[in-house]
DNA sequence: GCGACAG
DNA sequence: ATCTTGTCGC
C-alpha cells in the first residue's frame, strides 16, 4: 500500500506538539462518499522487557466481518508514552504494517482517539492523514472531554464535549459493559463512525477488527518473547 | 499551583 | 500498556 511520506518521529515533545498543530489543519471531517466493503482494525502490543512494539492490522469484509487479510510487524520503541503523543510511539510500527498490506481498506479503526484529543490529532487522525484513508478513533478510556452518564443498554450514546463543541461520543456497545469513546479520525463524520462502530461491535465491547488486531499483536508478542 | 492524563 | 489470582455473574 502506498504511504504518504511525511514521517517525522524523531522529535522532542515541543516539536511534536507543533507538528500536531500543523497536521490538524489538514484533517477533514466530512461525509464518506462511496460504499464500504472492507474495514481494518489496527493495534499495537508493547513489551517492556525488550522495549519492543508488535503491531497488527486485520482487514475484514463488511458487513460479513470475515477476515480478508492480516499482517504484523515488530520493532524497537524509541519514544516514551506521554498522554497526547501516542502517535509518536505507535505510528512508526503501524506505518510499517500498512506498507506491507495488500488490500486497501475503505475504513480503518484504531485503538485510541481520533479528534478527541487536546490538539485534535489523536492516533486515528494522525494515521488517517498518512494513509489517506477514512479512520475512526475507538478508545477504551477517556483522554479529554466531558459527558453525561451513558444509559446501560447497548446502543446508548452521549456526546463527548470539549470547549462547547462535540468532539466524539461515549457509547455502550454491549449492555452492562464499560462504554467506549468514539471520535472521527479523518475523512468521516461522527455520525458515520457511530454506525460503523455499532455494526462491527456486536459480540464484544470492541469492534471485531480492533479486537482481532489486538489479539494478533498480543499473539506475536508472546511468540517473540516466549511467555 | 494542582489535578488529569489514549496506550 | 504490562503484571497477576481469584472471583462474580450470565
Amino acid at each position: 500500500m502506498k504511504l504518504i511520506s511525511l514521517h517525522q518521529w524523531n522529535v522532542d515533545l515541543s516539536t511534536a506538539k507543533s507538528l500536531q498543530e500543523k497536521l490538524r489543519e489538514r484533517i477533514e471531517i466530512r461525509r464518506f462518499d462511496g460504499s464500504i466493503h472492507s474495514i481494518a482494525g489496527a493495534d499495537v502490543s508493547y513489551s517492556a522487557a525488550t522495549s519492543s512494539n508488535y503491531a497488527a492490522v486485520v482487514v475484514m469484509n463488511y458487513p460479513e466481518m470475515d477476515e480478508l487479510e492480516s499482517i504484523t510487524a515488530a520493532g524497537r520503541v524509541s519514544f516514551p508514552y506521554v498522554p497526547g503523543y501516542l502517535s509518536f510511539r505507535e505510528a512508526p510500527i503501524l506505518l510499517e504494517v500498512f506498507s506491507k498490506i495488500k488490500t486497501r481498506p475503505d475504513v480503518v479503526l484504531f485503538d485510541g482517539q481520533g479528534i478527541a484529543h487536546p490538539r485534535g490529532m489523536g492516533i486515528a487522525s494522525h494515521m488517517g492523514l498518512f494513509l489517506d484513508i477514512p479512520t475512526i478513533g475507538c478508545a477504551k478510556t477517556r483522554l479529554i472531554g466531558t459527558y453525561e452518564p451513558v444509559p446501560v443498554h447497548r446502543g446508548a450514546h452521549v456526546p463527548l464535549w470539549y470547549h462547547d463543541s462535540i468532539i466524539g461520543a461515549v457509547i455502550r456497545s454491549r449492555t452492562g459493559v464499560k462504554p467506549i469513546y468514539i471520535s472521527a479520525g479523518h475523512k468521516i463524520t461522527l455520525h458515520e463512525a457511530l454506525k460503523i462502530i455499532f455494526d462491527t461491535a456486536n459480540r464484544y465491547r470492541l469492534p471485531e477488527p480492533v479486537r482481532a488486531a489486538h489479539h494478533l499483536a498480543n499473539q506475536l508478542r508472546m511468540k517473540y518473547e516466549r511467555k
Side-chain angles (χ1 to χ4, degrees):
Chain A
M1 194 174 121
K2 192 174 185 296
L3 303 178
I4 295 178
S5 49
L6 290 172
H7 307 36
Q8 196 173 135
W9 307 117
N10 297 324
V11 298
D12 55 36
L13 276 187
S14 167
T15 310
K17 183 177 179 181
S18 50
L19 179 58
Q20 288 179 333
E21 289 165 349
K22 197 73 184 173
L23 292 175
R24 175 186 203 165
E25 301 168 13
R26 303 175 59 153
I27 288 296
E28 303 168 25
I29 300 303
R30 56 155 170 79
R31 207 166 163 279
F32 172 79
D33 39 7
S35 52
I36 298 171
H37 296 116
S38 61
I39 298 181
D43 194 25
V44 175
S45 179
Y46 172 68
S47 167
T50 60
S51 299
S52 301
N53 265 348
Y54 298 91
V57 172
V58 176
V59 187
M60 295 177 166
N61 59 10
Y62 176 84
E64 297 85 355
M65 290 294 111
D66 297 318
E67 188 174 314
L68 297 179
E69 184 182 1
S70 66
I71 300 288
T72 61
R76 303 296 298 280
V77 178
S78 53
F79 206 88
Y81 170 68
V82 182
Y85 300 90
L86 182 64
S87 304
F88 295 87
R89 184 177 172 81
E90 298 194 344
I93 194 67
L94 284 173
L95 284 172
E96 197 175 318
V97 194
F98 276 100
S99 71
K100 297 197 287 184
I101 210 166
K102 296 277 193 293
T103 325
R104 182 186 170 83
D106 296 316
V107 182
V108 186
L109 278 37
F110 288 90
D111 188 343
Q113 315 290 347
I115 62 171
H117 175 279
R119 290 164 294 285
M121 278 299 297
I123 192 165
S125 299
H126 208 143
M127 289 296 299
L129 268 183
F130 288 135
L131 299 174
D132 192 29
I133 287 182
T135 58
I136 299 172
C138 179
K140 299 182 293 301
T141 60
R142 184 199 74 104
L143 176 59
I144 58 166
T146 59
Y147 58 96
E148 298 296 313
V150 190
V152 74
H153 294 97
R154 167 179 161 81
H157 54 91
V158 300
L160 180 61
W161 295 89
Y162 189 62
H163 291 171
D164 298 312
S165 66
I166 295 174
I167 58 172
V170 188
I171 78 164
R172 196 79 68 171
S173 51
R174 296 211 49 177
T175 300
V177 302
K178 284 168 53 179
I180 55 181
Y181 303 74
I182 306 302
S183 56
H186 183 48
K187 290 188 167 180
I188 202 166
T189 62
L190 177 61
H191 184 76
E192 293 169 308
L194 287 179
K195 172 175 170 40
I196 290 171
I197 295 300
F198 278 122
D199 278 355
T200 57
N202 280 179
R203 312 163 54 186
Y204 307 98
R205 180 165 83 115
L206 297 178
E208 303 275 357
V210 174
R211 193 171 181 279
H214 183 86
H215 185 77
L216 185 55
N218 263 324
Q219 205 166 272
L220 184 71
R221 176 174 60 82
M222 290 190 278
K223 174 186 163 190
Y224 268 72
E225 311 274 328
R226 275 280 162 251
K227 50 183 282 192

